[in-house]
Short mmCIF file of all heavy atoms in Angstrom, two decimals:
data_model
loop_
_atom_site.label_atom_id
_atom_site.label_comp_id
_atom_site.label_asym_id
_atom_site.label_seq_id
_atom_site.Cartn_x
_atom_site.Cartn_y
_atom_site.Cartn_z
N GLY K 124 -11.66 -25.77 -14.45
CA GLY K 124 -11.42 -26.77 -13.42
C GLY K 124 -10.17 -26.48 -12.62
O GLY K 124 -9.90 -25.34 -12.25
N ASP K 125 -9.37 -27.53 -12.38
CA ASP K 125 -8.18 -27.37 -11.55
C ASP K 125 -7.06 -26.61 -12.27
O ASP K 125 -6.06 -26.23 -11.65
CB ASP K 125 -7.67 -28.72 -11.06
CG ASP K 125 -7.33 -29.67 -12.20
OD1 ASP K 125 -7.49 -29.29 -13.38
OD2 ASP K 125 -6.91 -30.81 -11.91
N LYS K 126 -7.21 -26.37 -13.57
CA LYS K 126 -6.21 -25.56 -14.30
C LYS K 126 -6.45 -24.06 -14.09
O LYS K 126 -5.55 -23.24 -14.29
CB LYS K 126 -6.29 -25.86 -15.80
CG LYS K 126 -6.08 -27.31 -16.19
CD LYS K 126 -4.63 -27.74 -15.99
CE LYS K 126 -4.35 -29.07 -16.66
NZ LYS K 126 -5.21 -30.17 -16.21
N GLY K 127 -7.67 -23.70 -13.71
CA GLY K 127 -8.04 -22.30 -13.60
C GLY K 127 -7.18 -21.49 -12.64
O GLY K 127 -6.68 -20.42 -13.00
N PRO K 128 -6.97 -21.96 -11.40
CA PRO K 128 -6.18 -21.17 -10.44
C PRO K 128 -4.77 -20.87 -10.93
O PRO K 128 -4.25 -19.77 -10.70
CB PRO K 128 -6.17 -22.05 -9.19
CG PRO K 128 -7.42 -22.86 -9.29
CD PRO K 128 -7.59 -23.14 -10.75
N THR K 129 -4.15 -21.83 -11.62
CA THR K 129 -2.79 -21.61 -12.13
C THR K 129 -2.77 -20.51 -13.20
O THR K 129 -1.91 -19.63 -13.19
CB THR K 129 -2.22 -22.91 -12.72
OG1 THR K 129 -2.19 -23.91 -11.70
CG2 THR K 129 -0.81 -22.69 -13.26
N ILE K 130 -3.74 -20.56 -14.10
CA ILE K 130 -3.81 -19.56 -15.17
C ILE K 130 -4.09 -18.18 -14.58
O ILE K 130 -3.49 -17.17 -14.98
CB ILE K 130 -4.89 -19.96 -16.19
CG1 ILE K 130 -4.41 -21.20 -16.97
CG2 ILE K 130 -5.20 -18.81 -17.15
CD1 ILE K 130 -5.43 -21.78 -17.91
N LEU K 131 -4.98 -18.12 -13.59
CA LEU K 131 -5.29 -16.84 -12.95
C LEU K 131 -4.06 -16.29 -12.23
O LEU K 131 -3.79 -15.08 -12.28
CB LEU K 131 -6.45 -17.02 -11.96
CG LEU K 131 -6.96 -15.75 -11.27
CD1 LEU K 131 -7.47 -14.74 -12.30
CD2 LEU K 131 -8.06 -16.10 -10.27
N GLN K 132 -3.30 -17.17 -11.59
CA GLN K 132 -2.10 -16.73 -10.88
C GLN K 132 -1.07 -16.16 -11.86
O GLN K 132 -0.43 -15.13 -11.58
CB GLN K 132 -1.50 -17.90 -10.10
CG GLN K 132 -0.33 -17.54 -9.19
CD GLN K 132 1.00 -17.53 -9.90
OE1 GLN K 132 1.21 -18.32 -10.82
NE2 GLN K 132 1.89 -16.63 -9.51
N ILE K 133 -0.92 -16.79 -13.02
CA ILE K 133 0.04 -16.31 -14.02
C ILE K 133 -0.40 -14.94 -14.55
O ILE K 133 0.42 -14.03 -14.73
CB ILE K 133 0.19 -17.33 -15.17
CG1 ILE K 133 0.88 -18.60 -14.65
CG2 ILE K 133 0.98 -16.73 -16.34
CD1 ILE K 133 0.91 -19.73 -15.66
N PHE K 134 -1.70 -14.79 -14.79
CA PHE K 134 -2.22 -13.49 -15.25
C PHE K 134 -1.92 -12.41 -14.23
O PHE K 134 -1.46 -11.31 -14.57
CB PHE K 134 -3.72 -13.60 -15.51
CG PHE K 134 -4.38 -12.27 -15.75
CD1 PHE K 134 -4.29 -11.64 -16.98
CD2 PHE K 134 -5.09 -11.63 -14.73
CE1 PHE K 134 -4.89 -10.41 -17.20
CE2 PHE K 134 -5.69 -10.40 -14.94
CZ PHE K 134 -5.59 -9.79 -16.18
N ARG K 135 -2.19 -12.69 -12.96
CA ARG K 135 -1.98 -11.68 -11.92
C ARG K 135 -0.50 -11.38 -11.71
O ARG K 135 -0.14 -10.24 -11.39
CB ARG K 135 -2.64 -12.14 -10.62
CG ARG K 135 -4.17 -12.03 -10.69
CD ARG K 135 -4.87 -12.62 -9.49
NE ARG K 135 -6.30 -12.32 -9.52
CZ ARG K 135 -7.21 -12.91 -8.75
NH1 ARG K 135 -6.84 -13.84 -7.88
NH2 ARG K 135 -8.49 -12.57 -8.85
N GLU K 136 0.33 -12.38 -11.90
CA GLU K 136 1.77 -12.15 -11.80
C GLU K 136 2.22 -11.17 -12.89
O GLU K 136 3.03 -10.28 -12.65
CB GLU K 136 2.52 -13.47 -11.94
CG GLU K 136 4.04 -13.34 -11.82
CD GLU K 136 4.74 -14.68 -11.94
OE1 GLU K 136 4.14 -15.71 -11.56
OE2 GLU K 136 5.89 -14.70 -12.41
N TYR K 137 1.67 -11.34 -14.08
CA TYR K 137 1.99 -10.41 -15.17
C TYR K 137 1.50 -9.00 -14.84
O TYR K 137 2.22 -8.01 -15.04
CB TYR K 137 1.35 -10.88 -16.48
CG TYR K 137 1.51 -9.89 -17.61
CD1 TYR K 137 2.71 -9.77 -18.29
CD2 TYR K 137 0.45 -9.06 -17.99
CE1 TYR K 137 2.87 -8.85 -19.32
CE2 TYR K 137 0.60 -8.14 -19.01
CZ TYR K 137 1.81 -8.04 -19.67
OH TYR K 137 1.97 -7.12 -20.68
N GLU K 138 0.30 -8.90 -14.33
CA GLU K 138 -0.27 -7.59 -14.02
C GLU K 138 0.55 -6.86 -12.96
O GLU K 138 0.74 -5.65 -13.04
CB GLU K 138 -1.71 -7.76 -13.53
CG GLU K 138 -2.70 -8.10 -14.62
CD GLU K 138 -2.91 -6.94 -15.59
OE1 GLU K 138 -3.42 -5.90 -15.16
OE2 GLU K 138 -2.55 -7.08 -16.77
#
Side-chain angles (χ1 to χ4, degrees):
D125 59 0
K126 302 289 193 303
T129 300
I130 291 174
L131 184 60
Q132 187 275 327
I133 292 172
F134 170 78
R135 287 174 172 166
E136 181 179 331
Y137 174 77
E138 286 291 296

